Amino acid sequence: MSSIGTGYDLSASQFSPDGRVFQVEYALKAVENSGTAIGIRGKDGVVFGVEKLVLSKLYEVGANKRIFHIDKHIGVAVAGLLADARQIVETARDEAANYRSTYGAPIPLKYLTDRVAMYMHQYTIYSAIRPFGCSVILSSYEHDGPHMYSIDPSGVAMGYHGCATGKAKQAAKTEIEKIKMQDMNMKDLVKEVAKIIYIVHDEVKDKAFELELSWVGENTNGKHELVPKDVKEEAEKYAKESLEEESDSDDDDL
């Protein structure tokens, strides 16, 4: 409840005396309970990486994916409540389909981001509904190069060269800032994305996870695709070797 007084977190349409909307803040907490999702924009495309936590050994491999296709040239990675994220994905797909039907051309990512952000914002201003408990990262490759945007539960959208959301957001951002992404191509970025996900994964609290990778750019002729199995395996191998090298160097320092 509010540190100032009770009752200010009962509705998404009510501000607290210090100007906060607690329901939106609680939605952000729901995102932070999810596995980490990151996106990095390089010189020729965008690469997504998602840490999909496996809560039971009985789960089927590949189920409940957190990377989706919106249109041929647009992909999205999600963090937070998966059921809420699916609603956002369906809304984005409808917007993309309507634009293509009306104008006979693929929807620009900036326009789609604005539409989806407005939709998410609508769920923060009425008392009868609650905000979406998810954040989404959208990417595309268009005539003027790669683009990437992130939308949080409040409906705020920002463009990024590299962004992260989910449980280890801050740690992932710190690792992303070390990369000279604007000079890197997609194949190099895949390895870096896999490495970051392995670095920020908490082996104590969350032992098992599946790494999901996708990309969109010159290599894919502007289409959003899941990273091929051989490239993914090579990236995971690189990530594990990098972790082992870092742990060995730490042991030597001790």
Side-chain angles (χ1 to χ4, degrees), residues 120-149:
M120 292 179 73
H121 177 248
Q122 289 294 311
Y123 279 74
T124 69
I125 57 177
Y126 299 107
S127 59
I129 50 182
R130 66 164 175 79
F132 288 101
C134 63
S135 289
V136 299
I137 308 172
L138 296 137
S139 70
S140 76
Y141 188 79
E142 298 169 7
H143 62 88
D144 55 347
H147 299 273
M148 183 171 67
Y149 295 88

PDB file of all heavy atoms in Angstrom, residues 120-149:
ATOM      1  N   MET A 120      -1.952   0.649 -24.932  1.00  0.00           N
ATOM      2  CA  MET A 120      -1.524   0.290 -23.573  1.00  0.00           C
ATOM      3  C   MET A 120      -1.831   1.417 -22.588  1.00  0.00           C
ATOM      4  O   MET A 120      -2.198   1.168 -21.436  1.00  0.00           O
ATOM      5  CB  MET A 120      -0.034  -0.049 -23.563  1.00  0.00           C
ATOM      6  CG  MET A 120       0.298  -1.318 -24.314  1.00  0.00           C
ATOM      7  SD  MET A 120       2.054  -1.727 -24.341  1.00  0.00           S
ATOM      8  CE  MET A 120       2.330  -2.288 -22.661  1.00  0.00           C
ATOM      9  N   HIS A 121      -1.707   2.658 -23.050  1.00  0.00           N
ATOM     10  CA  HIS A 121      -2.012   3.788 -22.170  1.00  0.00           C
ATOM     11  C   HIS A 121      -3.487   3.838 -21.799  1.00  0.00           C
ATOM     12  O   HIS A 121      -3.847   4.253 -20.681  1.00  0.00           O
ATOM     13  CB  HIS A 121      -1.600   5.103 -22.839  1.00  0.00           C
ATOM     14  CG  HIS A 121      -1.946   6.316 -22.041  1.00  0.00           C
ATOM     15  ND1 HIS A 121      -2.902   7.218 -22.445  1.00  0.00           N
ATOM     16  CD2 HIS A 121      -1.493   6.741 -20.832  1.00  0.00           C
ATOM     17  CE1 HIS A 121      -3.009   8.162 -21.518  1.00  0.00           C
ATOM     18  NE2 HIS A 121      -2.168   7.904 -20.538  1.00  0.00           N
ATOM     19  N   GLN A 122      -4.349   3.414 -22.710  1.00  0.00           N
ATOM     20  CA  GLN A 122      -5.794   3.420 -22.422  1.00  0.00           C
ATOM     21  C   GLN A 122      -6.122   2.595 -21.176  1.00  0.00           C
ATOM     22  O   GLN A 122      -7.088   2.889 -20.466  1.00  0.00           O
ATOM     23  CB  GLN A 122      -6.572   2.862 -23.626  1.00  0.00           C
ATOM     24  CG  GLN A 122      -6.606   3.761 -24.830  1.00  0.00           C
ATOM     25  CD  GLN A 122      -7.368   5.049 -24.586  1.00  0.00           C
ATOM     26  OE1 GLN A 122      -8.480   5.042 -24.087  1.00  0.00           O
ATOM     27  NE2 GLN A 122      -6.746   6.170 -24.909  1.00  0.00           N
ATOM     28  N   TYR A 123      -5.313   1.586 -20.910  1.00  0.00           N
ATOM     29  CA  TYR A 123      -5.571   0.700 -19.765  1.00  0.00           C
ATOM     30  C   TYR A 123      -4.997   1.260 -18.457  1.00  0.00           C
ATOM     31  O   TYR A 123      -4.974   0.554 -17.450  1.00  0.00           O
ATOM     32  CB  TYR A 123      -5.000  -0.691 -20.050  1.00  0.00           C
ATOM     33  CG  TYR A 123      -5.910  -1.519 -20.922  1.00  0.00           C
ATOM     34  CD1 TYR A 123      -6.034  -1.238 -22.287  1.00  0.00           C
ATOM     35  CD2 TYR A 123      -6.674  -2.552 -20.393  1.00  0.00           C
ATOM     36  CE1 TYR A 123      -6.885  -1.970 -23.089  1.00  0.00           C
ATOM     37  CE2 TYR A 123      -7.529  -3.298 -21.185  1.00  0.00           C
ATOM     38  CZ  TYR A 123      -7.630  -2.998 -22.539  1.00  0.00           C
ATOM     39  OH  TYR A 123      -8.488  -3.733 -23.321  1.00  0.00           O
ATOM     40  N   THR A 124      -4.524   2.501 -18.472  1.00  0.00           N
ATOM     41  CA  THR A 124      -4.003   3.116 -17.238  1.00  0.00           C
ATOM     42  C   THR A 124      -4.861   4.292 -16.779  1.00  0.00           C
ATOM     43  O   THR A 124      -4.513   4.946 -15.795  1.00  0.00           O
ATOM     44  CB  THR A 124      -2.569   3.637 -17.445  1.00  0.00           C
ATOM     45  OG1 THR A 124      -2.576   4.763 -18.337  1.00  0.00           O
ATOM     46  CG2 THR A 124      -1.665   2.548 -18.005  1.00  0.00           C
ATOM     47  N   ILE A 125      -5.990   4.582 -17.467  1.00  0.00           N
ATOM     48  CA  ILE A 125      -6.764   5.785 -17.136  1.00  0.00           C
ATOM     49  C   ILE A 125      -8.215   5.488 -16.765  1.00  0.00           C
ATOM     50  O   ILE A 125      -8.989   6.420 -16.539  1.00  0.00           O
ATOM     51  CB  ILE A 125      -6.718   6.796 -18.304  1.00  0.00           C
ATOM     52  CG1 ILE A 125      -7.231   6.182 -19.598  1.00  0.00           C
ATOM     53  CG2 ILE A 125      -5.307   7.328 -18.484  1.00  0.00           C
ATOM     54  CD1 ILE A 125      -7.275   7.161 -20.765  1.00  0.00           C
ATOM     55  N   TYR A 126      -8.588   4.205 -16.688  1.00  0.00           N
ATOM     56  CA  TYR A 126      -9.951   3.849 -16.285  1.00  0.00           C
ATOM     57  C   TYR A 126      -9.907   2.961 -15.049  1.00  0.00           C
ATOM     58  O   TYR A 126      -9.066   2.064 -14.939  1.00  0.00           O
ATOM     59  CB  TYR A 126     -10.682   3.126 -17.423  1.00  0.00           C
ATOM     60  CG  TYR A 126     -10.826   3.958 -18.674  1.00  0.00           C
ATOM     61  CD1 TYR A 126     -10.065   3.688 -19.808  1.00  0.00           C
ATOM     62  CD2 TYR A 126     -11.720   5.027 -18.715  1.00  0.00           C
ATOM     63  CE1 TYR A 126     -10.191   4.449 -20.952  1.00  0.00           C
ATOM     64  CE2 TYR A 126     -11.855   5.794 -19.865  1.00  0.00           C
ATOM     65  CZ  TYR A 126     -11.089   5.504 -20.975  1.00  0.00           C
ATOM     66  OH  TYR A 126     -11.217   6.271 -22.114  1.00  0.00           O
ATOM     67  N   SER A 127     -10.838   3.183 -14.138  1.00  0.00           N
ATOM     68  CA  SER A 127     -10.827   2.437 -12.877  1.00  0.00           C
ATOM     69  C   SER A 127     -11.353   1.011 -13.036  1.00  0.00           C
ATOM     70  O   SER A 127     -11.093   0.161 -12.185  1.00  0.00           O
ATOM     71  CB  SER A 127     -11.673   3.172 -11.832  1.00  0.00           C
ATOM     72  OG  SER A 127     -13.014   3.316 -12.281  1.00  0.00           O
ATOM     73  N   ALA A 128     -12.086   0.739 -14.121  1.00  0.00           N
ATOM     74  CA  ALA A 128     -12.697  -0.581 -14.295  1.00  0.00           C
ATOM     75  C   ALA A 128     -11.731  -1.619 -14.848  1.00  0.00           C
ATOM     76  O   ALA A 128     -12.045  -2.809 -14.861  1.00  0.00           O
ATOM     77  CB  ALA A 128     -13.903  -0.470 -15.220  1.00  0.00           C
ATOM     78  N   ILE A 129     -10.564  -1.188 -15.302  1.00  0.00           N
ATOM     79  CA  ILE A 129      -9.593  -2.113 -15.892  1.00  0.00           C
ATOM     80  C   ILE A 129      -8.229  -1.886 -15.260  1.00  0.00           C
ATOM     81  O   ILE A 129      -8.008  -0.887 -14.578  1.00  0.00           O
ATOM     82  CB  ILE A 129      -9.506  -1.934 -17.428  1.00  0.00           C
ATOM     83  CG1 ILE A 129      -9.312  -0.445 -17.783  1.00  0.00           C
ATOM     84  CG2 ILE A 129     -10.747  -2.492 -18.108  1.00  0.00           C
ATOM     85  CD1 ILE A 129      -9.265  -0.151 -19.240  1.00  0.00           C
ATOM     86  N   ARG A 130      -7.319  -2.807 -15.486  1.00  0.00           N
ATOM     87  CA  ARG A 130      -5.979  -2.684 -14.912  1.00  0.00           C
ATOM     88  C   ARG A 130      -4.944  -2.543 -16.024  1.00  0.00           C
ATOM     89  O   ARG A 130      -5.177  -2.961 -17.162  1.00  0.00           O
ATOM     90  CB  ARG A 130      -5.652  -3.908 -14.043  1.00  0.00           C
ATOM     91  CG  ARG A 130      -5.532  -5.214 -14.824  1.00  0.00           C
ATOM     92  CD  ARG A 130      -4.833  -6.270 -13.989  1.00  0.00           C
ATOM     93  NE  ARG A 130      -4.794  -7.573 -14.647  1.00  0.00           N
ATOM     94  CZ  ARG A 130      -3.951  -7.928 -15.598  1.00  0.00           C
ATOM     95  NH1 ARG A 130      -3.075  -7.058 -16.055  1.00  0.00           N
ATOM     96  NH2 ARG A 130      -3.980  -9.149 -16.117  1.00  0.00           N
ATOM     97  N   PRO A 131      -3.768  -1.984 -15.706  1.00  0.00           N
ATOM     98  CA  PRO A 131      -2.702  -1.883 -16.714  1.00  0.00           C
ATOM     99  C   PRO A 131      -2.193  -3.263 -17.134  1.00  0.00           C
ATOM    100  O   PRO A 131      -2.332  -4.242 -16.392  1.00  0.00           O
ATOM    101  CB  PRO A 131      -1.597  -1.102 -15.986  1.00  0.00           C
ATOM    102  CG  PRO A 131      -2.275  -0.431 -14.844  1.00  0.00           C
ATOM    103  CD  PRO A 131      -3.402  -1.334 -14.443  1.00  0.00           C
ATOM    104  N   PHE A 132      -1.598  -3.339 -18.307  1.00  0.00           N
ATOM    105  CA  PHE A 132      -0.984  -4.578 -18.773  1.00  0.00           C
ATOM    106  C   PHE A 132       0.300  -4.839 -17.968  1.00  0.00           C
ATOM    107  O   PHE A 132       1.121  -3.944 -17.799  1.00  0.00           O
ATOM    108  CB  PHE A 132      -0.641  -4.501 -20.257  1.00  0.00           C
ATOM    109  CG  PHE A 132      -1.838  -4.554 -21.157  1.00  0.00           C
ATOM    110  CD1 PHE A 132      -2.350  -3.391 -21.712  1.00  0.00           C
ATOM    111  CD2 PHE A 132      -2.457  -5.758 -21.440  1.00  0.00           C
ATOM    112  CE1 PHE A 132      -3.460  -3.437 -22.543  1.00  0.00           C
ATOM    113  CE2 PHE A 132      -3.569  -5.811 -22.264  1.00  0.00           C
ATOM    114  CZ  PHE A 132      -4.080  -4.650 -22.812  1.00  0.00           C
ATOM    115  N   GLY A 133       0.451  -6.068 -17.501  1.00  0.00           N
ATOM    116  CA  GLY A 133       1.635  -6.423 -16.716  1.00  0.00           C
ATOM    117  C   GLY A 133       2.768  -6.915 -17.590  1.00  0.00           C
ATOM    118  O   GLY A 133       3.363  -7.970 -17.321  1.00  0.00           O
ATOM    119  N   CYS A 134       3.073  -6.183 -18.656  1.00  0.00           N
ATOM    120  CA  CYS A 134       4.145  -6.622 -19.559  1.00  0.00           C
ATOM    121  C   CYS A 134       4.789  -5.423 -20.243  1.00  0.00           C
ATOM    122  O   CYS A 134       4.180  -4.361 -20.379  1.00  0.00           O
ATOM    123  CB  CYS A 134       3.605  -7.590 -20.624  1.00  0.00           C
ATOM    124  SG  CYS A 134       2.382  -6.839 -21.706  1.00  0.00           S
ATOM    125  N   SER A 135       6.029  -5.599 -20.643  1.00  0.00           N
ATOM    126  CA  SER A 135       6.736  -4.643 -21.503  1.00  0.00           C
ATOM    127  C   SER A 135       7.072  -5.347 -22.805  1.00  0.00           C
ATOM    128  O   SER A 135       7.310  -6.559 -22.813  1.00  0.00           O
ATOM    129  CB  SER A 135       8.023  -4.160 -20.836  1.00  0.00           C
ATOM    130  OG  SER A 135       7.761  -3.318 -19.752  1.00  0.00           O
ATOM    131  N   VAL A 136       7.099  -4.593 -23.898  1.00  0.00           N
ATOM    132  CA  VAL A 136       7.400  -5.186 -25.199  1.00  0.00           C
ATOM    133  C   VAL A 136       8.520  -4.401 -25.880  1.00  0.00           C
ATOM    134  O   VAL A 136       8.646  -3.186 -25.707  1.00  0.00           O
ATOM    135  CB  VAL A 136       6.155  -5.226 -26.119  1.00  0.00           C
ATOM    136  CG1 VAL A 136       5.069  -6.071 -25.488  1.00  0.00           C
ATOM    137  CG2 VAL A 136       5.620  -3.833 -26.406  1.00  0.00           C
ATOM    138  N   ILE A 137       9.346  -5.124 -26.639  1.00  0.00           N
ATOM    139  CA  ILE A 137      10.390  -4.508 -27.457  1.00  0.00           C
ATOM    140  C   ILE A 137      10.086  -4.863 -28.912  1.00  0.00           C
ATOM    141  O   ILE A 137       9.983  -6.044 -29.255  1.00  0.00           O
ATOM    142  CB  ILE A 137      11.795  -5.017 -27.078  1.00  0.00           C
ATOM    143  CG1 ILE A 137      12.038  -4.884 -25.573  1.00  0.00           C
ATOM    144  CG2 ILE A 137      12.861  -4.257 -27.844  1.00  0.00           C
ATOM    145  CD1 ILE A 137      13.338  -5.539 -25.113  1.00  0.00           C
ATOM    146  N   LEU A 138       9.921  -3.855 -29.760  1.00  0.00           N
ATOM    147  CA  LEU A 138       9.583  -4.049 -31.171  1.00  0.00           C
ATOM    148  C   LEU A 138      10.779  -3.710 -32.046  1.00  0.00           C
ATOM    149  O   LEU A 138      11.520  -2.762 -31.752  1.00  0.00           O
ATOM    150  CB  LEU A 138       8.404  -3.158 -31.561  1.00  0.00           C
ATOM    151  CG  LEU A 138       7.071  -3.441 -30.857  1.00  0.00           C
ATOM    152  CD1 LEU A 138       6.416  -2.145 -30.465  1.00  0.00           C
ATOM    153  CD2 LEU A 138       6.158  -4.242 -31.747  1.00  0.00           C
ATOM    154  N   SER A 139      10.963  -4.469 -33.121  1.00  0.00           N
ATOM    155  CA  SER A 139      12.080  -4.191 -34.039  1.00  0.00           C
ATOM    156  C   SER A 139      11.640  -4.403 -35.480  1.00  0.00           C
ATOM    157  O   SER A 139      10.703  -5.163 -35.760  1.00  0.00           O
ATOM    158  CB  SER A 139      13.265  -5.113 -33.735  1.00  0.00           C
ATOM    159  OG  SER A 139      12.959  -6.450 -34.100  1.00  0.00           O
ATOM    160  N   SER A 140      12.330  -3.712 -36.386  1.00  0.00           N
ATOM    161  CA  SER A 140      12.070  -3.902 -37.820  1.00  0.00           C
ATOM    162  C   SER A 140      13.298  -3.473 -38.607  1.00  0.00           C
ATOM    163  O   SER A 140      14.201  -2.827 -38.083  1.00  0.00           O
ATOM    164  CB  SER A 140      10.864  -3.078 -38.271  1.00  0.00           C
ATOM    165  OG  SER A 140      11.211  -1.713 -38.380  1.00  0.00           O
ATOM    166  N   TYR A 141      13.297  -3.851 -39.894  1.00  0.00           N
ATOM    167  CA  TYR A 141      14.330  -3.385 -40.824  1.00  0.00           C
ATOM    168  C   TYR A 141      13.605  -2.772 -42.013  1.00  0.00           C
ATOM    169  O   TYR A 141      12.871  -3.467 -42.731  1.00  0.00           O
ATOM    170  CB  TYR A 141      15.232  -4.531 -41.268  1.00  0.00           C
ATOM    171  CG  TYR A 141      16.421  -4.063 -42.083  1.00  0.00           C
ATOM    172  CD1 TYR A 141      17.541  -3.514 -41.462  1.00  0.00           C
ATOM    173  CD2 TYR A 141      16.421  -4.149 -43.472  1.00  0.00           C
ATOM    174  CE1 TYR A 141      18.626  -3.070 -42.199  1.00  0.00           C
ATOM    175  CE2 TYR A 141      17.500  -3.708 -44.224  1.00  0.00           C
ATOM    176  CZ  TYR A 141      18.603  -3.170 -43.570  1.00  0.00           C
ATOM    177  OH  TYR A 141      19.681  -2.713 -44.304  1.00  0.00           O
ATOM    178  N   GLU A 142      13.804  -1.461 -42.224  1.00  0.00           N
ATOM    179  CA  GLU A 142      13.093  -0.736 -43.262  1.00  0.00           C
ATOM    180  C   GLU A 142      14.077  -0.126 -44.258  1.00  0.00           C
ATOM    181  O   GLU A 142      15.286  -0.367 -44.162  1.00  0.00           O
ATOM    182  CB  GLU A 142      12.187   0.323 -42.612  1.00  0.00           C
ATOM    183  CG  GLU A 142      11.125  -0.317 -41.708  1.00  0.00           C
ATOM    184  CD  GLU A 142      10.371   0.673 -40.827  1.00  0.00           C
ATOM    185  OE1 GLU A 142      10.563   1.897 -41.006  1.00  0.00           O
ATOM    186  OE2 GLU A 142       9.613   0.220 -39.962  1.00  0.00           O
ATOM    187  N   HIS A 143      13.578   0.670 -45.192  1.00  0.00           N
ATOM    188  CA  HIS A 143      14.434   1.212 -46.262  1.00  0.00           C
ATOM    189  C   HIS A 143      15.558   2.084 -45.721  1.00  0.00           C
ATOM    190  O   HIS A 143      16.604   2.233 -46.357  1.00  0.00           O
ATOM    191  CB  HIS A 143      13.581   2.021 -47.246  1.00  0.00           C
ATOM    192  CG  HIS A 143      12.899   3.208 -46.614  1.00  0.00           C
ATOM    193  ND1 HIS A 143      13.487   4.444 -46.522  1.00  0.00           N
ATOM    194  CD2 HIS A 143      11.677   3.320 -46.033  1.00  0.00           C
ATOM    195  CE1 HIS A 143      12.676   5.289 -45.914  1.00  0.00           C
ATOM    196  NE2 HIS A 143      11.557   4.632 -45.608  1.00  0.00           N
ATOM    197  N   ASP A 144      15.346   2.672 -44.534  1.00  0.00           N
ATOM    198  CA  ASP A 144      16.372   3.535 -43.950  1.00  0.00           C
ATOM    199  C   ASP A 144      17.153   2.859 -42.830  1.00  0.00           C
ATOM    200  O   ASP A 144      17.822   3.523 -42.036  1.00  0.00           O
ATOM    201  CB  ASP A 144      15.742   4.832 -43.435  1.00  0.00           C
ATOM    202  CG  ASP A 144      14.601   4.581 -42.453  1.00  0.00           C
ATOM    203  OD1 ASP A 144      14.137   3.420 -42.364  1.00  0.00           O
ATOM    204  OD2 ASP A 144      14.191   5.540 -41.767  1.00  0.00           O
ATOM    205  N   GLY A 145      17.066   1.513 -42.759  1.00  0.00           N
ATOM    206  CA  GLY A 145      17.864   0.772 -41.797  1.00  0.00           C
ATOM    207  C   GLY A 145      17.058   0.159 -40.668  1.00  0.00           C
ATOM    208  O   GLY A 145      15.823   0.143 -40.700  1.00  0.00           O
ATOM    209  N   PRO A 146      17.742  -0.368 -39.640  1.00  0.00           N
ATOM    210  CA  PRO A 146      17.062  -1.023 -38.522  1.00  0.00           C
ATOM    211  C   PRO A 146      16.467  -0.020 -37.537  1.00  0.00           C
ATOM    212  O   PRO A 146      16.971   1.094 -37.379  1.00  0.00           O
ATOM    213  CB  PRO A 146      18.187  -1.825 -37.861  1.00  0.00           C
ATOM    214  CG  PRO A 146      19.438  -1.081 -38.184  1.00  0.00           C
ATOM    215  CD  PRO A 146      19.211  -0.451 -39.525  1.00  0.00           C
ATOM    216  N   HIS A 147      15.383  -0.449 -36.879  1.00  0.00           N
ATOM    217  CA  HIS A 147      14.723   0.371 -35.864  1.00  0.00           C
ATOM    218  C   HIS A 147      14.330  -0.518 -34.686  1.00  0.00           C
ATOM    219  O   HIS A 147      14.015  -1.695 -34.865  1.00  0.00           O
ATOM    220  CB  HIS A 147      13.467   1.048 -36.428  1.00  0.00           C
ATOM    221  CG  HIS A 147      13.735   1.962 -37.577  1.00  0.00           C
ATOM    222  ND1 HIS A 147      14.062   3.284 -37.414  1.00  0.00           N
ATOM    223  CD2 HIS A 147      13.727   1.730 -38.916  1.00  0.00           C
ATOM    224  CE1 HIS A 147      14.251   3.840 -38.603  1.00  0.00           C
ATOM    225  NE2 HIS A 147      14.055   2.913 -39.540  1.00  0.00           N
ATOM    226  N   MET A 148      14.313   0.078 -33.487  1.00  0.00           N
ATOM    227  CA  MET A 148      13.898  -0.672 -32.295  1.00  0.00           C
ATOM    228  C   MET A 148      13.255   0.284 -31.285  1.00  0.00           C
ATOM    229  O   MET A 148      13.783   1.376 -31.028  1.00  0.00           O
ATOM    230  CB  MET A 148      15.086  -1.387 -31.656  1.00  0.00           C
ATOM    231  CG  MET A 148      14.707  -2.243 -30.459  1.00  0.00           C
ATOM    232  SD  MET A 148      16.079  -3.274 -29.880  1.00  0.00           S
ATOM    233  CE  MET A 148      17.199  -2.022 -29.261  1.00  0.00           C
ATOM    234  N   TYR A 149      12.122  -0.137 -30.728  1.00  0.00           N
ATOM    235  CA  TYR A 149      11.404   0.648 -29.726  1.00  0.00           C
ATOM    236  C   TYR A 149      10.988  -0.260 -28.580  1.00  0.00           C
ATOM    237  O   TYR A 149      10.759  -1.464 -28.771  1.00  0.00           O
ATOM    238  CB  TYR A 149      10.155   1.305 -30.321  1.00  0.00           C
ATOM    239  CG  TYR A 149      10.436   2.341 -31.383  1.00  0.00           C
ATOM    240  CD1 TYR A 149      10.562   1.975 -32.725  1.00  0.00           C
ATOM    241  CD2 TYR A 149      10.563   3.691 -31.050  1.00  0.00           C
ATOM    242  CE1 TYR A 149      10.819   2.920 -33.695  1.00  0.00           C
ATOM    243  CE2 TYR A 149      10.824   4.643 -32.023  1.00  0.00           C
ATOM    244  CZ  TYR A 149      10.948   4.256 -33.348  1.00  0.00           C
ATOM    245  OH  TYR A 149      11.206   5.194 -34.320  1.00  0.00           O
TER     246      TYR A 149
END
